[in-house]
């Protein structure tokens, strides 16, 4: 049912199908070019809770519940749910999922979480480990700034290379029951570290990992970029996207016409003052669920390669002089 | 190849086999009753590095390399490696694995990480997702105290309910090639939160999750406790273990004669001044790899249920008044 190809890739012969999906986003994201596509938009950055962290959990919980209710299920109908996020000890996920009565496996891949989760959820369904599985993730600007940089109250200035963590979440429910969208293959990424040490330049830290995973995926499956309608990166931003394209070009792989970076698309970069684009697990998760998957359903896209990209950054280790390793996992999503 | 049973459990029909395993521990652990069983003992708590965090990474890296070298492989021969740990952004794992050139999927389950990783690694091998897979984890007393409580330099007093984070690591390599030890089934845990808020009483926070997973596993597979030679909890300590036994007894499940808690066994509780026992991902990981698996190989144990237990605690959310959710996943390990 699953064929291992090359070192890092797999083909799902009995393909998992996307049963349902949902997205939710904050105010700033709703004002961007993709604003009208989100299932739900919440103008209150606390999501009705008392802290930003509790707000992020509430956002993620709403998103998960919505994904299940769209297919007339509840989260407790899933046999396994994969979720993780940017916060220490993955607390958005843990406190969102605590009351959902669902078997839970925690994952951590920073902003690569949506493709890691989708890969593991696909594996679960394709192998019979689960009949219904789901994956979700979230990010929240106010939580992430405090976590990785400075509390908002400090009013720190952001350099031009900085990206804006999207306040958003996405959730996908899979099963073997045939629907309009299927998962056909995937590639597990390796950690790639090119010695970037600037926490305000994550695009550059992640670009080499994205390039490595795309190249490996195409090689392993003997494909060229034009086998896909889009090759989607998570949140490389303007700088990281240009760098990734260049790195791939050096290996003779031209994805420039097909490259769609969620971090470049969720905001209007000319007007919304986010500098190099968006970042955060919720960026690629929400763009996938709000914008890409509906396009596949409507035949506007036939086949995409979704590669969320993670900067495995830690403030503690940055203080100790460490560089920021990157990782990216690829999942091929097709019109069934 | 994988049969889904009940809501949370699976049976591996084409069983994964344990190809190799390794353990490493610090000085205090080497002075405990299991000291002579560890593959490697390092008296320097920095493991030759400049910080405790870099030391924990070095320990984990040595352990992973040793597990692979024992079966004449290198980590880069694995098709996927699952690892996570207690530190923010799972940095012990990330910096340990960065140079190993291996496809990596990050997981987070606090001290339940060893059973979560073993479950996902088993799934990978049983399904054909990977030919060779591995899982590893670590914990380090000095890192964990700074992370979750206070830096050691503060000299904080520890209450009697407190547990001592073990400085240790374990790694298991799986494949489908027949060996003496196989993985036959597993149960994915749910988050259980009984409103424990004391970060110095983690045994009580985790005990209900352990009891829930053991009960579910036995029910799903229609087993009684005596189908196992041991039912192993990760790090409930003395308090948590007694509580777990009592919770299970209330449901008519008596595991008292079979219950082995790694947190109670790694130190000599009468002499080593660790209060309620040990904790940390590395506690159950190293005890499994140093003490339990060799006993299975030698027929001294025929079949055990390994349930690492995690307190999904976050200092940030504790400050916000939140309780500590617990989780535990079960993996059945048998003499082949």
């Amino acid at each position: 049912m699953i064929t291992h190809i090359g070192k890092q890739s797999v083909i799902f012969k009995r393909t998992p199908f996307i049963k349902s999906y949902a997205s939710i986003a904050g105010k700033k994201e709703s004002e961007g070019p993709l604003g009208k596509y989100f299932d739900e938009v919440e103008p209150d950055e606390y999501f009705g809770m008392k802290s930003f962290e509790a707000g992020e959990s509430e956002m993620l919980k709403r998103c998960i519940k919505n994904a299940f209710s769209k297919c007339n299920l509840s989260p407790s109908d899933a046999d396994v749910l994969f979720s993780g996020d940017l916060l220490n000890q993955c607390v958005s996920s843990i406190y969102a999922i605590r009351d959902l009565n669902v078997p839970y496996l925690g994952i951590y891949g920073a902003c690569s979480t949506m493709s890691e989760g989708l890969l593991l959820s696909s594996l679960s369904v394709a192998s019979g480990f689960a009949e219904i599985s789901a994956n979700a993730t979230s990010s929240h600007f106010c939580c992430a700034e405090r976590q990785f940089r400075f509390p908002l109250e400090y009013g720190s200035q952001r350099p031009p290379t900085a990206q804006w963590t999207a306040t958003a979440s996405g959730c996908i429910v899979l099963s073997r029951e045939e629907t309009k969208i299927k998962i056909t293959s995937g590639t597990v990424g390796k950690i790639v570290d090119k010695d970037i040490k600037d926490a305000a330049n994550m695009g550059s830290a992640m670009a080499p990992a994205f390039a490595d995973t795309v190249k490996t995926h195409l090689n392993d499956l003997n494909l060229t970029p034009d086998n896909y309608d889009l090759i989607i990166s998570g949140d490389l931003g303007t700088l990281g996207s240009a760098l990734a394209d260049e790195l791939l070009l050096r290996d003779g792989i031209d994805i420039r016409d097909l490259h769609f970076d969620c971090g470049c698309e969720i905001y209007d970069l000319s007007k919304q003052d986010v500098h190099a684009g968006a970042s955060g697990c919720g960026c690629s998760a929400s763009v996938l669920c709000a914008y890409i998957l509906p396009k596949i359903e409507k035949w506007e896209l036939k086949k995409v390669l979704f590669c969320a990209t993670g900067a495995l950054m830690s403030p503690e280790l940055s203080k100790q002089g460490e560089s920021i390793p990157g990782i990216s996992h690829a999942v091929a999503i097709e019109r069934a």
Side-chain angles (χ1 to χ4, degrees), chain A:
Chain A
M1 291 169 296
I2 297 174
T3 308
H4 192 80
I5 294 204
K7 191 83 206 144
Q8 297 171 242
S9 301
V10 287
I11 291 178
F12 298 111
K13 285 186 181 167
R14 182 163 71 163
T15 62
F17 290 89
I18 294 184
K19 196 174 179 66
S20 180
Y21 50 93
S23 61
I24 178 169
K27 184 165 175 286
K28 193 180 185 90
E29 293 68 30
S30 75
E31 292 163 352
L34 307 182
K36 64 181 174 188
Y37 298 107
F38 300 112
D39 290 311
E40 188 186 344
V41 163
E42 171 60 69
D44 173 17
E45 60 199 354
Y46 286 94
F47 286 74
M49 310 305 283
K50 284 186 178 169
S51 71
F52 293 136
E53 288 77 13
E56 183 175 340
S57 266
E58 172 65 17
M59 169 177 72
L60 177 56
K61 192 199 281 189
R62 278 197 217 164
C63 186
I64 295 171
K65 282 185 169 178
N66 193 24
F68 279 92
S69 75
K70 279 172 147 192
C71 57
N72 298 314
L73 293 175
S74 84
S76 63
D77 291 314
D79 302 314
V80 64
L81 170 62
F82 295 91
S83 184
D85 52 84
L86 291 176
L87 300 189
N88 287 347
Q89 287 80 40
C90 291
V91 286
S92 331
S93 298
I94 286 160
Y95 289 97
I97 290 160
R98 178 174 56 173
D99 307 320
L100 298 180
N101 190 31
V102 58
Y104 168 62
L105 292 171
I107 55 177
Y108 181 73
C111 303
S112 73
T113 300
M114 197 63 183
S115 53
E116 175 174 350
L118 190 52
L119 203 50
L120 284 170
S121 181
S122 299
L123 165 60
S124 301
V125 160
S127 66
F129 188 81
E131 281 162 37
I132 297 169
S133 71
N135 70 294
T137 190
S138 67
S139 57
H140 190 301
F141 175 72
C142 307
C143 302
E145 284 302 300
R146 172 154 80 177
Q147 179 83 88
F148 291 99
R149 294 167 198 94
F150 298 100
L152 296 185
E153 291 81 355
Y154 285 21
S156 298
Q157 276 211 318
R158 308 170 64 250
T161 54
Q163 295 171 242
W164 189 280
T165 305
T167 300
S169 171
C171 175
I172 294 177
V173 183
L174 297 181
S175 81
R176 284 188 295 274
E177 189 195 329
E178 212 165 313
T179 65
K180 292 177 180 169
I181 314 176
K182 61 185 178 180
I183 312 292
T184 50
S185 68
T187 298
V188 181
K190 293 178 179 178
I191 296 175
V192 179
D193 189 333
K194 296 294 183 191
D195 210 30
I196 302 291
K197 294 187 176 179
D198 181 359
N201 186 3
M202 293 189 305
S204 302
M206 296 185 283
F210 169 76
D212 187 68
T213 296
V214 169
K215 184 182 158 192
T216 303
H217 178 84
L218 298 175
N219 281 347
D220 283 352
L221 278 82
N222 201 16
L223 298 175
T224 54
D226 56 12
N227 283 101
Y228 291 101
D229 295 330
L230 289 180
I231 294 180
I232 301 167
S233 52
D235 50 353
L236 298 178
T238 50
L239 253 84
S241 293
L243 191 56
D245 290 353
E246 196 185 317
L247 286 169
L248 283 165
L249 261 186
R250 285 190 201 168
D251 285 320
I253 299 167
D254 188 352
I255 67 160
R256 288 173 298 177
D257 291 342
L258 309 165
H259 188 178
F260 178 100
D261 180 64
C262 303
C264 291
E265 304 292 338
I266 195 170
Y267 301 123
D268 182 337
L269 302 188
S270 66
K271 290 180 191 156
Q272 285 189 289
D273 192 30
V274 294
H275 300 346
S279 68
C281 312
C283 171
S284 61
S286 65
V287 171
L288 178 66
C289 293
Y291 185 67
I292 302 290
L293 296 181
K295 276 191 178 294
I296 296 177
E297 239 179 286
K298 288 181 277 182
W299 284 108
E300 290 171 28
L301 292 168
K302 174 75 185 78
K303 189 173 179 181
V304 305
L305 188 66
F306 176 71
C307 312
T309 39
L312 303 167
M313 181 173 71
S314 155
E316 197 63 44
L317 274 278
S318 290
K319 284 174 207 154
Q320 295 180 15
E322 263 297 358
S323 53
I324 302 171
I327 197 161
S328 180
H329 310 290
V331 187
I333 310 174
E334 274 186 61
R335 185 62 164 83

